[in-house]
Amino acid sequence: MKRRTSIIEAAQIVFFNKGFEQATMQEIAAEASLGVATIFRYFPKKDQLIVAVASEIVQTEIEVFEGIIHDQGTCYDKLERIFDTLIFFQQAEHQRNSKLIEAFECYVSMSKLSLDDIEIYQANYNKLITLFTELAELGEQDGSLQTDGNTRETIITMINVFGNFSKKMAMLNGIDAFQTQVNEVQQFKILKKLFLDHLRA
């Protein structure tokens, strides 16, 4: 298990620096200080390693959101913390993961065939949906949110929009050609306020 983890960590670095298409298993083996045959023993195809890297990133997000959702506070309080966390994900120390997930989603959408082991990523993604469903149920129970029969759908949609915006900001960070006239911190504040004002009971 420790060796598998070290391979995934090495792959994250190589994929970030070279991209999924250009990175080779030999480069990942070198980064992990292992023979390429060992890499293939754990991941017979590069696509399996790409999925493993993306799945591991989502797993770290699950752990963060579990901590928030299972902590004390109202649904509204927890949603505010989730939005703040999603803003944090686009900051420097998390930009590699955000960029890799954005690139992974593009890679999957452009692939002509389904990726090997994609169900592992889907299972982790479904865990996130389950957590946000649990949060919506809390909102219906504690009275901190407006409820109109679509609380679950509304919360999942808002978190998806906010999360995708955060990933996009991380992806384009530092590229002058994509800078808008509105400071990104201000954009996050505006979006957060719009969502929370809509949800507040």
Side-chain angles (χ1 to χ4, degrees):
M1 190 66 176
K2 187 176 179 181
R3 178 163 286 181
R4 185 179 187 277
T5 300
S6 69
I7 293 170
I8 292 172
E9 289 172 352
Q12 282 183 325
I13 294 168
V14 175
F15 288 147
F16 181 75
N17 291 330
K18 301 291 293 286
F20 295 131
E21 298 276 2
Q22 298 301 319
T24 67
M25 297 294 258
Q26 185 66 54
E27 289 168 328
I28 293 166
E31 181 67 34
S33 300
L34 295 170
V36 72
T38 302
I39 305 295
F40 280 111
R41 193 178 313 131
Y42 284 87
F43 300 97
K45 296 181 180 178
K46 185 169 76 170
D47 276 358
Q48 291 174 310
L49 188 46
I50 291 171
V51 171
V53 165
S55 299
E56 186 63 29
I57 292 170
V58 173
Q59 180 58 41
T60 63
E61 294 178 359
I62 289 169
E63 291 166 7
V64 170
F65 292 133
E66 274 181 335
I68 294 170
I69 292 169
H70 296 155
D71 199 3
Q72 298 297 313
T74 66
C75 177
Y76 184 91
D77 295 334
K78 293 175 183 183
L79 262 176
E80 188 167 17
R81 288 174 60 194
I82 286 172
F83 288 142
D84 287 341
T85 299
L86 289 169
I87 295 172
F88 183 68
F89 279 170
Q90 64 87 39
Q91 294 177 357
E93 57 266 49
H94 292 276
Q95 279 184 9
R96 184 178 76 182
N97 284 352
S98 293
K99 288 182 178 183
L100 279 169
I101 286 294
E102 182 80 1
F104 173 74
E105 291 170 355
C106 292
Y107 183 80
V108 172
S109 70
M110 297 297 288
S111 295
K112 291 183 172 61
L113 300 173
S114 179
L115 271 62
D116 287 328
D117 293 344
I118 191 66
E119 65 277 1
I120 298 171
Y121 178 85
Q122 187 63 53
N124 271 359
Y125 192 81
N126 286 341
K127 289 178 188 175
L128 282 176
I129 299 299
T130 300
L131 279 173
F132 299 145
T133 300
E134 183 181 335
L135 183 64
E137 290 169 355
L138 174 62
E140 291 175 349
Q141 293 165 10
D142 70 13
S144 64
L145 302 185
Q146 291 188 41
T147 53
D148 57 4
N150 295 309
T151 307
R152 175 183 177 273
E153 290 77 7
T154 300
I155 285 177
I156 290 173
T157 299
M158 288 181 175
I159 291 173
N160 276 336
V161 169
F162 208 92
N164 285 332
F165 180 66
S166 180
K167 284 185 291 184
K168 184 67 70 178
M169 289 295 100
M171 190 81 169
L172 302 179
N173 183 267
I175 303 175
D176 291 339
F178 295 108
Q179 298 307 304
T180 66
Q181 296 298 313
V182 183
N183 178 278
E184 67 182 43
V185 174
Q186 187 67 16
Q187 291 184 60
F188 276 118
K189 286 180 179 177
I190 291 168
L191 195 57
K192 177 183 168 184
K193 186 176 186 306
L194 282 171
F195 286 166
L196 290 177
D197 286 352
H198 176 77
L199 290 168
R200 191 193 304 269

